[in-house]
Amino acid sequence: MLIAGVDIGNNSTEVAVARIGAEVQFLSSALVRTIGLKGTLRNAMCVIDAVDKAMAAVSMTRNDLDLILLNKATPVIGDVAMETITETVITESAMIGHNPDTPGGLGLGQGVTVDIRDLTQTAPGAPCIVVIDGDVDFTQAAEMINAAAAKGVKITGAIVKKDDGVLIYNRLTSPIPIVDEVQHIDKVPLGMPAALEVARVGRSIEKLSNPYDIATLFELSPEETRQITPIARALTGNRSGVVIKTPKGDVQERRIPAGTITLVGETAKETVDVELGADAIMEKLARVAPLKEIQSQPGTNAHGMFERVRTVMAELTDQPVSLIKIQDVLAVNTLQPQHVLGGLAGEFTRGTAVGLAAMVMTQNIPMQRLAAKLKEETGVEVEIGGVEAEMAITGALTTPGAEAPLAILDLGGGSTDASIIHRDGTVKSIHMAGAGDMVTMLINTELGLDDPDLAEDIKRYPLAKVETLFHMRHETGAVEFFDAHLDPSLFGRVAILGENGPIPIMHDLNLNQIVNVRRKAKEKVFVRNALRALEQVAPGGNIRLIDFVALVGGSALDFEIPEMIADALAEYGPVLGKGNIRGCEGPRNAVATGLCLSRKGC
C-alpha cells in the first residue's frame, strides 16, 4: 500500500510518502505553506500541492496513491484583550510629544498659548507660548517674535506646524524652546495655560514626563494628577513635549472594561477579572483543568474577543456559534500602544494588556468535509488519522538514539502539543493553545509595528545594528566587517539578518528594545507552554520523572527557542534536544511520519 501522511499545521503542511507492508519504507517528503485556517476546506489546495510535490520527487503522481491520511487538525486563533481600552486618556488636557527630529532650543517654557499674529496685542510681562501655523514661514515667524520681545512681551516657547524649529531658533535674539512638526496645529487651544520642554540631543525630557512635575506646573489636585499620568507616560523618552490645559469638557475619558471570564472545567468553575493579569488567569485555569468552556461578561472587551473567535470559527466551519467551545487558553501579560485622543501629533501611550490565545474545539464535521473534498479532487481514498500529539511522538521515535520513555514537545504555529510514551507503549498527550503565531502577535503589538510580516521576520531571525556601510554589530556584540559597502538604506538602522541578506527595520526602535521584546514574547509563550504541557503529561505532574524530551515542529528550528526551553528545564534534569525525524528530516515531519507508521502491517 502506498500512503501519504499529511500534517496540516497553522503555518505549514507537511507530507510523508511511504510504502506500507510488514515494514514501512519512506520514499519522500514535502513542505508547503498552509492555505486557510487549519482544519477548514481551504486546506485542500495546499494538501494537494504538498502531495503532488512529494510524489513528483519519486517520479510518481497522486494517482499512484492508495490512501491519503490526514491528521486531526484543531484550529487555534490568537487575539488580544486589553486590560483597559482607553479611547481618550485625559480629562481637561491636551498634549504633544512625538519626538520631532528638529526641535529648536533647550529647556522648559511655561505660559499661555497665543497665535503669533496676536503678539502685537499681547501685554508685556505675561509669559506666553506662540502658536505658528503653516501660513507663516520661518523668516516671518522669527521677525514677529523678535519684534514682540523687543516691546517687552515675554515669549517662553513656540509650537510650530512646519519643520522649521531650528530655522526659527537660529534667527531669534533671545533663545526659546521650540517644538515643530505639529500636524494638528489647528487643534491647539489658544488662551490656555501650557508647558513646553526640549531636551539636549541624546537626552529625553524630564519635567513633562513626570506627573508630579506636571502637577506642580499646572497646580493640579491629586485627582487631576492621577488623570494626567498617561500623558506623562506617553511623553517618557521623548526629546520634546507640550502639555496644554484645555477648556473643560474638550477631552473626555471613556473606558471599556476588560471584564471577567469564567473558566468551566469538568468538576470546577472559576471566575477571574482580566484586569488582574495573565498570572491570575493561568492560576485559575490550572485549578479547573481540564477546561471545557469559557464564558465571558457581556459588554466587555474579553467578551468581544471570545465572541469574535467563536464567530470566525462558526463561519469557517459552517457550524452554529453555540457548538463552538473554547478548549484551552493561554494568557500572557503584554503592552499595547494606544493612541491618545487628546494628542495633537499622533501620540500614543503604552497600555497594559493581556494577550489571549484561544484554542477552539469543534466537531469532526469540518475535517470530514475536508476529507470528502480531497477525495473528490484527487480521486484517492482519504481518511482522518490519529490524535496529532500521539502521531508526533510516534514520528519522534524515529530519531536516532531515541527510545521510550520519551516526551516530545511539538511547537507549531498555533498550538503546543506534548506527549509522553512509556516503556509499555502507553501514550498520554495534551493539546494547548499558543505557539509561534502568538509570539508574532505579541512582537507586532508591543513594538507597535502594525506589520505582521515584519513581526514574523523579527521572531525568526537574529538582528544587528549597521553602524557604518562597512560593518555591523550583531545583537551578541560581535562585529562583522565587509569588503564591499552595504546598501545605503541600511546605514544607522537595525537590520534583520534574513536568509536573503540584511533587511532594514524602518521604525524608530533600538536594537536592545527589539531583542528584549522578542525574547520576552518567546519566554511568555514557548517556555511557559512547554512547562505547562510537560506538567500535564508527566507522571504525577512531576517533570523530574521525565528522562528524555525531544523538540519537534517548525518552531524547534528557531535560533534561540531550544536554548531557552533547555535553560528552563535545566533544574528538572531531562535530556533535551531537537528531534531528527527518520534521521534526515530534523524536527520537521514528525506527525506526517507518525501517520504513516500508524498503518504499519496493513
Side-chain angles (χ1 to χ4, degrees), residues 535-558:
E535 286 175 352
Q536 292 281 341
V537 300
N542 188 353
I543 298 177
R544 298 182 188 278
L545 298 180
I546 299 177
D547 293 328
F548 298 94
V549 178
L551 301 179
V552 299
S555 295
L557 294 169
D558 186 272

Side-chain angles (χ1 to χ4, degrees), residues 373-386:
K373 176 71 171 177
L374 284 169
K375 182 177 180 180
E376 177 185 340
E377 294 288 335
T378 63
V380 180
E381 192 67 29
V382 181
E383 295 181 10
I384 301 170

Side-chain angles (χ1 to χ4, degrees), residues 24 33 96 153 204 231 251 280 295 299 315 399 403 416 427 442 455 520 571:
V24 178
R33 188 174 183 83
I96 303 167
V153 177
S204 58
I231 290 291
V251 182
Q295 299 166 353
E315 291 175 352
T399 296
E403 65 175 2
T416 299
V427 175
L442 291 175
K520 286 181 180 179
E571 64 178 287

Side-chain angles (χ1 to χ4, degrees), residues 20 57 108 118 201 250 289 320 355 482 523:
I20 310 296
L108 178 72
D118 297 331
V201 176
D250 249 21
F482 301 90
E523 288 172 358

Side-chain angles (χ1 to χ4, degrees), residues 250-530:
D250 249 21
V251 182
Q252 299 296 324
E253 181 182 57
R254 184 167 75 87
R255 293 178 181 269
I256 301 174
T260 60
I261 58 175
T262 301
L263 307 168
V264 182
E266 286 186 347
T267 59
K269 183 165 68 172
E270 293 277 356
T271 298
V272 59
D273 194 328
V274 175
E275 289 191 1
L276 295 177
D279 291 340
I281 295 173
M282 298 309 292
E283 180 183 341
K284 298 273 188 176
L285 180 63
R287 293 182 189 176
V288 305
L291 184 69
K292 292 299 180 185
E293 172 62 318
I294 292 181
Q295 299 166 353
S296 51
Q297 179 184 358
T300 65
N301 190 52
H303 181 74
M305 194 216 79
F306 285 116
E307 288 308 303
R308 280 197 305 273
V309 170
R310 289 189 175 92
T311 300
V312 169
M313 283 305 308
E315 291 175 352
L316 290 171
T317 59
D318 196 23
Q319 296 183 88
V321 174
S322 59
L323 294 181
I324 307 298
K325 306 295 183 183
I326 306 297
Q327 184 178 342
D328 186 53
V329 67
L330 173 66
V332 298
N333 292 319
T334 183
L335 295 172
Q336 184 171 41
Q338 302 173 69
H339 283 285
V340 181
L341 190 61
L344 302 173
E347 299 84 2
F348 64 87
T349 183
R350 294 171 68 80
T352 303
V354 175
L356 295 172
M359 187 172 69
V360 181
M361 178 174 62
T362 62
Q363 296 180 345
N364 283 330
I365 296 173
M367 283 302 299
Q368 291 167 356
R369 288 176 176 169
L370 175 58
K373 176 71 171 177
L374 284 169
K375 182 177 180 180
E376 177 185 340
E377 294 288 335
T378 63
V380 180
E381 192 67 29
V382 181
E383 295 181 10
I384 301 170
V387 176
E388 192 167 342
E390 294 179 5
M391 295 300 99
I393 202 164
T394 302
L397 282 171
T398 65
T399 296
E403 65 175 2
L406 170 72
I408 64 107
L409 285 169
D410 187 354
L411 310 175
S415 63
T416 299
D417 305 329
S419 303
I420 187 168
I421 185 168
H422 300 284
R423 292 190 186 278
D424 62 2
T426 57
V427 175
K428 183 178 181 181
S429 61
I430 190 74
H431 194 56
M432 291 183 163
D437 289 347
M438 190 177 192
V439 172
T440 301
M441 181 186 68
L442 291 175
I443 293 171
N444 191 42
T445 299
E446 291 201 24
L447 294 178
L449 301 176
D450 196 25
D451 186 345
D453 291 335
L454 176 59
E456 177 71 15
D457 285 340
I458 289 174
K459 178 188 76 175
R460 294 178 59 193
Y461 301 112
L463 305 172
K465 177 67 178 291
V466 179
E467 297 181 336
T468 73
L469 290 180
F470 290 91
H471 88 274
M472 65 172 63
R473 188 176 300 275
H474 291 259
E475 63 178 72
T476 60
V479 178
E480 182 178 2
F481 294 89
F482 301 90
D483 294 330
H485 71 78
L486 297 167
D487 188 321
S489 66
L490 293 165
F491 178 72
R493 294 198 173 277
V494 178
I496 301 168
L497 303 182
E499 296 171 358
N500 298 317
I503 305 168
I505 297 177
M506 309 304 285
H507 291 261
D508 188 18
L509 301 165
N510 65 59
L511 179 63
N512 290 336
Q513 177 186 7
I514 301 172
V515 170
N516 287 339
V517 167
R518 184 194 71 209
R519 289 188 61 85
K520 286 181 180 179
K522 290 178 180 179
E523 288 172 358
K524 291 172 184 176
V525 177
F526 283 114
V527 175
R528 182 168 197 164
N529 248 1

Side-chain angles (χ1 to χ4, degrees), residues 172-194:
L172 298 180
T173 55
S174 299
I176 59 172
I178 302 172
V179 172
D180 58 4
E181 302 178 37
V182 179
Q183 56 187 345
H184 301 303
I185 196 80
D186 56 307
K187 295 183 180 179
V188 175
L190 299 176
M192 302 305 298

